[in-house]
Amino acid sequence: MLSFAALLAVTFYADVLPILERRCLGCHQAGEAAPMALGSFAAARPFAKAIRDAVLQATMPPGGGLPAAEASVLRQWAARPAPGPGARPAVLPVRPSVRDDLTLRMPAPFPIAPGATVDYQHFVLPTGQTTPRWIQAIEIRPGNRRVVHHAVAFVRTARSEFLRGGRLSVEDEVLGTYLPGEGVLRWPAGQAKLLPAGAEIVLQMHYTATGMAEEDQTAVRLEFGPPPRERVYTLSVAQWDFAIPPFAPAHPVTIEFPVQTGVRVLAVTPHMHLRGRSMRVTAGDAVVLDLPRYRFDWQLRRVLPRPVELAAGEVIRVEATFDNSPNNPRNPDPAATVRWGEQSWQEMMVAFVDVAIPAAWPPAAIYRPKRF
């Protein structure tokens, strides 16, 4: 007969596994981005201390922390890991799927040396589409999730200067992203992204070395749909001109973007690098993202529970802070003055903001006042 203490004990299969299934196994399973699987007692037991530390520091799951009751369960179990009765296979999250109307793939595997620092890589993928197409869903599928920190698919039109000596234009928007634990973006019925006729997709890859020789060949899968009621367009609300001084513990950088026509804000994805400390995004009077503890390991996309309506002239404001002090354990060089750049030891300050506009409107309407 079990003792009273044993009956009260927190066990893996009765208490811990249900939390892991809800919160963790999207990444912590074989073939996914996390470096260890946690779907059984035998697999999770060696990482009990790491689980406890992640709970105490609120670094997991991405975005910061668990509900207090769940965090307490994991801490109790980590102090005395026990399997408990009722062993069973984990119920893994169902991976969203994309109908494979068009697949574009990097032309060849890209090698990553064991200790390499890899510059951002750009691969131009011709689409072969001679008419405009509406994209209902996109999946960026890494060939090797161990080395893909994140990936971004951009639309590049035929007249674009992007990667031809110039920057992104209004027409060269972010089409979709791969973030650890998130591979498929699907827009609801009545909304879609536009792939203009003759456009190419530029696949921007950020790789991180693992200590072993690796390679990757990422693919982009597109599912097309009928003409929508609304076009989803991704604004890049970025501050390019900043200089973070040496040893600054909380250097502020801000940018404001006034929309020139009414839009509905749907989602926000923040992006900074190793010195990124916090980011807050407001749309008009509404706070659409508040991330007081930014982590470069986890690129997060927040879909708003309800779209935020912005009228012409209202402002999207992005406020970020950067920690360039020696107290930042990931700081490459506290003595450096840090400016915009693609590499991790440089910095970026951008919020990708998905907005909805009528399907017939050109995106330029968001940027410039209407003429009557």
Side-chain angles (χ1 to χ4, degrees), residues 157-181:
T157 61
R159 56 180 173 268
S160 170
E161 293 301 314
F162 180 40
L163 299 183
R164 298 186 177 113
R167 287 183 173 177
L168 290 166
S169 73
V170 171
E171 295 178 331
D172 302 324
E173 66 165 316
V174 172
L175 181 59
T177 56
Y178 164 76
L179 313 172

Side-chain angles (χ1 to χ4, degrees), residues 292-314:
R293 295 173 55 170
Y294 179 84
R295 282 176 59 87
F296 184 52
D297 291 337
W298 300 109
Q299 309 295 307
L300 303 169
R301 180 175 183 266
R302 186 197 177 205
V303 178
L304 276 58
R306 291 182 180 176
V308 171
E309 305 277 351
L310 285 185
E314 290 196 280

Side-chain angles (χ1 to χ4, degrees), residues 245-257:
F247 307 110
H251 181 73
V253 178
T254 63
I255 186 69
E256 289 188 346
F257 178 82

Side-chain angles (χ1 to χ4, degrees), residues 84-307:
R88 62 174 177 84
V91 178
L92 298 177
V94 176
R95 292 179 178 173
S97 61
V98 167
R99 188 179 67 237
D100 192 4
D101 293 335
L102 177 65
T103 293
L104 308 170
R105 195 179 305 275
M106 288 165 46
F110 181 80
I112 299 99
T117 298
V118 185
D119 292 345
Y120 274 43
Q121 298 295 308
H122 293 88
F123 302 91
V124 178
L125 311 179
T127 66
Q129 304 301 299
T130 57
T131 59
R133 304 294 300 271
W134 288 100
I135 298 171
Q136 197 66 56
I138 177 173
E139 178 185 15
I140 300 178
R141 180 176 289 186
N144 182 351
R145 295 173 191 266
R146 292 188 301 274
V147 295
V148 178
H149 179 272
H150 71 274
V152 182
F154 296 89
V155 171
R156 185 172 78 169
T157 61
R159 56 180 173 268
S160 170
E161 293 301 314
F162 180 40
L163 299 183
R164 298 186 177 113
R167 287 183 173 177
L168 290 166
S169 73
V170 171
E171 295 178 331
D172 302 324
E173 66 165 316
V174 172
L175 181 59
T177 56
Y178 164 76
L179 313 172
E182 180 183 286
V184 173
L185 293 180
R186 176 175 295 279
W187 294 277
Q191 295 180 344
K193 285 261 188 172
L194 179 64
L195 180 66
E200 301 165 314
I201 289 180
V202 174
L203 186 59
Q204 182 191 77
M205 302 296 299
H206 182 184
Y207 291 115
T208 54
T210 64
M212 299 183 294
E214 305 264 15
E215 64 180 23
D216 170 71
Q217 190 172 13
T218 288
V220 179
R221 301 174 68 197
L222 302 178
E223 177 182 323
F224 297 125
R229 181 183 70 260
E230 293 182 314
R231 174 176 176 175
V232 178
Y233 178 79
T234 301
L235 292 166
S236 297
V237 184
Q239 176 59 272
W240 304 79
D241 185 17
F242 59 82
I244 304 169
F247 307 110
H251 181 73
V253 178
T254 63
I255 186 69
E256 289 188 346
F257 178 82
V259 298
Q260 300 301 317
T261 191
V263 301
R264 296 194 305 127
V265 178
L266 307 175
V268 185
T269 304
H271 186 72
M272 300 184 287
H273 290 171
L274 296 174
R275 295 172 175 87
R277 176 170 175 169
S278 68
M279 183 178 285
R280 190 172 189 265
V281 182
T282 54
D285 294 330
V287 178
V288 294
L289 179 78
D290 191 5
L291 197 59
R293 295 173 55 170
Y294 179 84
R295 282 176 59 87
F296 184 52
D297 291 337
W298 300 109
Q299 309 295 307
L300 303 169
R301 180 175 183 266
R302 186 197 177 205
V303 178
L304 276 58
R306 291 182 180 176

